[in-house]
Amino acid sequence: MTGDMLINYALAILFLPLLSFIILILAGKRLPRQGDWVAIGSVLITLVLSLAMFGSMLLSHDPGFSHEASIDWMDLGAFRIEMGFLIDNITIVMLLVVALISTMTHVFSIKYMEGDIRYSRYYAYLGLFTFSMNGIVLANNLFSLYICWELVGVSSYLLIGHWFEKDSAADAGKKAFLTNRVSDIGLFIGVMLIFTALGTFNYGEIFQGVAQGDIAGTLLTLAGIGLFIGAIGKSAQFPLHIWLPDAMEGPTPVSALMHAATMVAAGVFLSVRLFPIFTSEVLLFIAYVGGFTAIFAATIAITQNDIKKVLAYSTVSQLGYMILAVGTGAYIAGFFHLVTHAMFKACLFYGSGSVIHAMHHTLQKKHDHDTDPQDMRNMGGLKSKMPVTHWTMVVAALAISGVPLFSGFLSKDAILAGTLAFGAHHPQHFLLPIFGFGAALITAFYMFRLIFMTFHNEPKFPELYDDIHESPKEMTFPLVLLSTLSIFIFYTLPYFNPLSDHGWFMELVKAKDSMVPGNPSAHEIAEGMHHSHTATMILSVLLAALGIFLSWSVYLKKRISADAWAEKLTPYYNLSLNKYFFDENYDKYLYQPLLRLAERISFIDWDLYDKYFINGFGRVTKWLSFLTGRTDYDGLDQTIVDGLGRSISKAGSSLKEVQTGRLQNYMLFALFGVVIILIFQSF
């Protein structure tokens, strides 16, 4: 496939979802089925085109492939802005991931959102979101990326707040939007620092400028930190992770779309794309943020009872893994985990949606509006009632736990190998591998806690049990497909070794050397990972097995009492259950002080400045206007102008009486005039 053909495909992939958004917003309600076929058809075409590009990548087998096309959008001499595409193997893989998850979301939503009062608008917003995400992936410069970055924020706000009549959903949408605005300030500062130093937004020119030393030292470090702060918000990293769990208030398919593969992956994708310009200081900062987020979020997920909240914190933790990989130099491993995670995490979200859908409809039939259909404590025994949902979620849980024969094992092993190699070369940073391996153990535990509480043991509400049934095929098909794509073979082809990450992905998606002098090369990082691979594999498998065994003992066999341990560890349990009181502390120490400050500023602005100065100035101006008005009207206009007019009018009236129109009178006046002249002449 030629470069020009790839660009044409990319244009179609980018703009077809936008076209569906425009059509559905303008005429969706008037179309058959409220136009869902428009959205589904457009995204299916993007999937076909993405598959064609992916097939071309596999056939060409060129790890160094790259094609770029740009047009001048704004040219003001020294200030020039381009809009363009960068298509390489990373772009192609990411386009396929976005298209696949977006397509599954559209299909899953047919039944899940059936009967929704804003059905057409929902599909319209899905199109806008997909367009925005594809724009981030295809961008060849920071300016284009920033525009689409903000569009992702807007569309996510619309989707999270879809059921805005619920206060919780409206608040969640605003929380996501505002939290991301905070991080976007950092991204903007980073972008402008780079542009100020190099005079360009283009990725290639930025890499060249960094390699030549045109931007270096503290300035490059500050720019890198600014760019990564943008990623912290989008990818829900500590301490800006607080929006993601609340975003579960949106429809479950939205959760799968945004939080499994696209929106939250944008931060990771940005970090992967710009890895060559990060200084060692920035990479170390990235590593600690990612590592801490991974284990921090895992310790929260372990006590949550809302099935979607468990998956939300799981997403935060897994994103921490990806960010940790970037910070330790194994950024391709992080990108690999982004791809595998998209499949099994989307499967888990759709599975949770399938369970919630079944619980919700059963509770509606029973006229039960008090029981929470998302609380795992209200489930149990669903294995026989929902076999497809159960087994697909088991496969996805095995994958995310890092069990061999599943995709998550391959990508997690690569990340942990990179982390272990980094720790071996930098013993002072021993916490990083501890974060990584610790999170792996906890992940296996809480994921199978979810499986056992939801599908096993006796049903918590036997009266509901008989009415629960498997979800429709439109909802189970994405589950089957995504669980199948969570098996190792799809990532190791043409090789069949389930214990090796060697396959098409690692052969075609190659790491680039850092442009920053002094940073280790891609070859050095790869060598370190290779030497750590065996030890990492053994340790990660043992930890996954231990986590699953502990969960089995606690929640299936009941050999260990979860309640008893919760009581023994009450302070720690309460911290985890209440998410370390982050929202409460943010409210107490950040939001409320800022609100009070805003109130004081408002008092100064409104009650003092506006009320007395601005309004006082207005009153003085009004009085002066009145005074000048009276002077103008009464003095000048009425007295002088009108007085002169009246005098002239009277003189005219007097003259009018003289003008009789009779000839004899005029001759008499002339005679008098002559007489008067003669009299004056005689003197």
Side-chain angles (χ1 to χ4, degrees):
M1 191 178 294
T2 64
D4 290 340
M5 186 177 294
L6 287 173
I7 293 296
N8 291 333
Y9 278 28
L11 282 168
I13 291 170
L14 178 63
F15 288 111
L16 277 173
L18 179 63
L19 180 62
S20 75
F21 164 74
I22 295 170
I23 293 172
L24 292 178
I25 281 293
L26 295 177
K29 287 187 176 294
R30 295 188 293 273
L31 295 173
R33 294 175 52 89
Q34 297 193 46
D36 61 353
W37 52 273
V38 175
I40 295 170
S42 66
V43 77
L44 273 173
I45 295 172
T46 67
L47 177 59
V48 172
L49 295 176
S50 299
L51 283 169
M53 294 174 70
F54 181 73
S56 175
M57 180 189 76
L58 293 179
L59 292 173
S60 63
H61 207 78
D62 180 10
F65 170 78
S66 180
H67 185 77
E68 189 171 355
S70 301
I71 60 170
D72 285 340
W73 185 61
M74 185 182 296
D75 191 352
L76 301 176
F79 185 76
R80 183 169 62 91
I81 296 177
E82 292 182 340
M83 304 293 282
F85 294 155
L86 171 61
I87 300 177
D88 57 9
N89 291 346
I90 290 178
T91 304
I92 293 172
V93 172
M94 195 66 190
L95 284 176
L96 180 59
V97 170
V98 174
L100 178 61
I101 303 301
S102 184
T103 301
M104 295 300 101
T105 299
H106 281 69
V107 174
F108 189 89
S109 298
I110 296 173
K111 286 296 182 181
Y112 193 90
M113 299 299 293
E114 189 176 31
D116 190 89
I117 59 173
R118 289 180 290 274
Y119 187 75
S120 64
R121 187 177 295 182
Y122 168 81
Y123 273 102
Y125 292 158
L126 285 181
L128 179 63
F129 183 90
T130 305
F131 159 76
S132 306
M133 191 62 208
N134 284 332
I136 291 176
V137 174
L138 286 166
N140 74 333
N141 64 84
L142 289 175
F143 186 82
S144 301
L145 179 138
Y146 189 80
I147 292 175
C148 295
W149 191 272
E150 296 296 338
L151 283 174
V152 165
V154 171
S155 53
S156 65
Y157 164 76
L158 296 171
L159 286 168
I160 294 169
H162 177 75
W163 291 318
F164 55 79
E165 60 272 10
K166 292 168 54 183
D167 290 340
S168 57
D171 291 342
K174 288 185 285 187
K175 188 176 184 179
F177 186 81
L178 293 174
T179 304
N180 278 276
R181 295 291 72 69
V182 173
S183 67
D184 290 352
I185 293 172
L187 176 63
F188 180 79
I189 292 172
V191 169
M192 296 315 297
L193 284 174
I194 288 177
F195 180 78
T196 303
L198 301 177
T200 182
F201 294 111
N202 184 271
Y203 294 154
E205 294 174 1
I206 292 171
F207 294 164
Q208 186 180 359
V210 172
Q212 293 174 350
D214 296 333
I215 178 173
T218 303
L219 183 60
L220 183 58
T221 299
L222 291 174
I225 290 174
L227 294 170
F228 179 65
I229 288 174
I232 287 177
K234 277 288 188 289
S235 291
Q237 297 295 285
F238 176 89
L240 298 180
H241 64 283
I242 56 172
W243 69 269
L244 185 61
D246 287 7
M248 299 299 109
E249 291 291 341
T252 299
V254 171
S255 302
L257 175 65
M258 294 197 306
H259 307 145
T262 51
M263 180 181 175
V264 294
V268 178
F269 180 81
L270 174 68
S271 302
V272 168
R273 182 64 84 188
L274 299 179
F275 173 85
I277 70 169
F278 292 142
T279 63
S280 58
E281 294 83 3
V282 175
L283 289 174
L284 194 61
F285 174 65
I286 292 173
Y288 272 98
V289 169
F292 181 77
T293 302
I295 195 164
F296 167 79
T299 61
I300 297 176
I302 203 170
T303 59
Q304 300 305 303
N305 296 308
D306 185 308
I307 189 170
K308 288 178 67 176
K309 287 289 178 68
V310 175
L311 295 177
Y313 280 105
S314 171
T315 298
V316 175
S317 180
Q318 297 302 305
L319 289 166
Y321 262 116
M322 303 172 205
I323 295 297
L324 172 63
V326 174
T328 55
Y331 75 98
I332 294 300
F335 183 62
F336 189 17
H337 195 57
L338 185 157
V339 175
T340 61
H341 175 262
M343 306 304 156
F344 52 70
K345 181 53 62 71
C347 180
L348 288 166
F349 268 115
Y350 293 142
S352 70
S354 177
V355 171
I356 294 167
H357 182 267
M359 290 284 295
H360 180 71
H361 280 270
T362 303
L363 290 169
Q364 276 191 326
K365 288 181 181 179
K366 300 292 184 180
H367 304 288
D368 185 347
H369 303 291
D370 299 320
T371 303
D372 186 355
Q374 297 183 191
D375 195 326
M376 296 185 298
R377 293 171 296 184
N378 299 329
M379 303 173 188
L382 300 181
K383 176 183 176 181
S384 59
K385 289 290 187 176
M386 307 182 72
V388 177
T389 301
H390 167 251
W391 286 112
T392 53
M393 289 190 72
V394 167
V395 170
L398 289 167
I400 197 173
S401 300
V403 174
L405 303 183
F406 299 95
S407 61
F409 168 78
L410 304 175
S411 54
K412 270 194 172 183
D413 185 63
I415 291 174
L416 294 174
T419 306
L420 191 63
F422 185 87
H425 284 88
H426 305 88
Q428 67 272 30
H429 301 300
F430 65 92
L431 280 176
L432 294 177
I434 292 176
F435 288 155
F437 286 100
L441 170 64
I442 301 172
T443 299
F445 179 86
Y446 70 67
M447 283 311 309
F448 277 87
R449 171 180 178 265
L450 181 151
I451 296 294
F452 296 141
M453 289 183 69
T454 304
F455 296 102
H456 294 263
N457 300 315
E458 294 298 319
K460 303 300 186 297
F461 293 92
E463 66 275 11
L464 302 176
Y465 185 74
D466 292 336
D467 292 328
I468 290 178
H469 54 82
E470 184 62 89
S471 298
K473 293 181 180 179
E474 291 89 345
M475 297 174 68
T476 56
F477 170 73
L479 287 170
V480 174
L481 177 61
L482 291 169
S483 64
T484 303
L485 293 175
S486 299
I487 299 173
F488 79 96
I489 196 67
F490 293 98
Y491 306 91
T492 61
L493 289 173
Y495 310 105
F496 296 88
N497 185 357
L499 302 180
S500 173
D501 59 10
H502 190 59
W504 67 265
F505 188 96
M506 288 300 184
E507 286 186 355
L508 294 178
V509 184
K510 292 291 188 180
K512 295 181 179 178
D513 287 331
S514 174
M515 299 293 129
V516 181
N519 282 2
S521 66
H523 177 73
E524 291 172 332
I525 294 171
E527 281 293 310
M529 293 172 63
H530 176 72
H531 292 304
S532 303
H533 174 71
T534 302
T536 300
M537 180 180 63
I538 295 171
L539 187 56
S540 65
V541 171
L542 289 175
L543 289 172
L546 177 61
I548 296 171
F549 174 76
L550 288 173
S551 185
W552 176 81
S553 301
V554 175
Y555 295 100
L556 188 61
K557 293 301 181 180
K558 310 291 185 182
R559 294 175 180 174
I560 303 172
S561 173
D563 294 335
W565 277 98
E567 189 174 345
K568 290 179 182 178
L569 303 172
T570 297
Y572 305 103
Y573 177 81
N574 287 333
L575 279 174
S576 173
L577 184 64
N578 293 284
K579 296 155 284 191
Y580 295 93
F581 299 97
F582 256 82
D583 285 303
E584 292 82 358
N585 285 322
Y586 273 151
D587 183 71
K588 183 177 180 180
Y589 298 110
L590 183 63
Y591 304 150
Q592 294 303 323
L594 286 174
L595 284 173
R596 288 193 292 270
L597 177 62
E599 288 173 356
R600 292 189 178 97
I601 294 173
S602 175
F603 174 79
I604 296 171
D605 178 57
W606 176 251
D607 293 335
L608 298 179
Y609 180 75
D610 198 31
K611 186 175 180 181
Y612 291 103
F613 182 76
I614 300 298
N615 290 351
F617 186 77
R619 285 191 291 270
V620 171
T621 303
K622 184 178 178 181
W623 180 78
L624 288 173
S625 299
F626 174 79
L627 182 62
T628 56
R630 301 308 303 174
T631 302
D632 178 66
Y633 184 76
D634 293 338
L636 181 62
D637 193 47
Q638 291 292 315
T639 304
I640 299 176
V641 177
D642 288 2
L644 181 61
R646 286 191 295 269
S647 299
I648 294 172
S649 178
K650 288 180 181 180
S653 298
S654 301
L655 289 173
K656 182 180 177 182
E657 294 190 5
V658 176
Q659 301 289 327
T660 62
R662 295 178 180 178
L663 182 60
Q664 57 268 34
N665 288 344
Y666 298 151
M667 293 181 67
L668 181 61
F669 288 141
L671 179 61
F672 282 145
V674 171
V675 172
I676 292 170
I677 292 171
L678 292 174
I679 291 173
F680 275 105
Q681 286 182 344
S682 64
F683 289 103

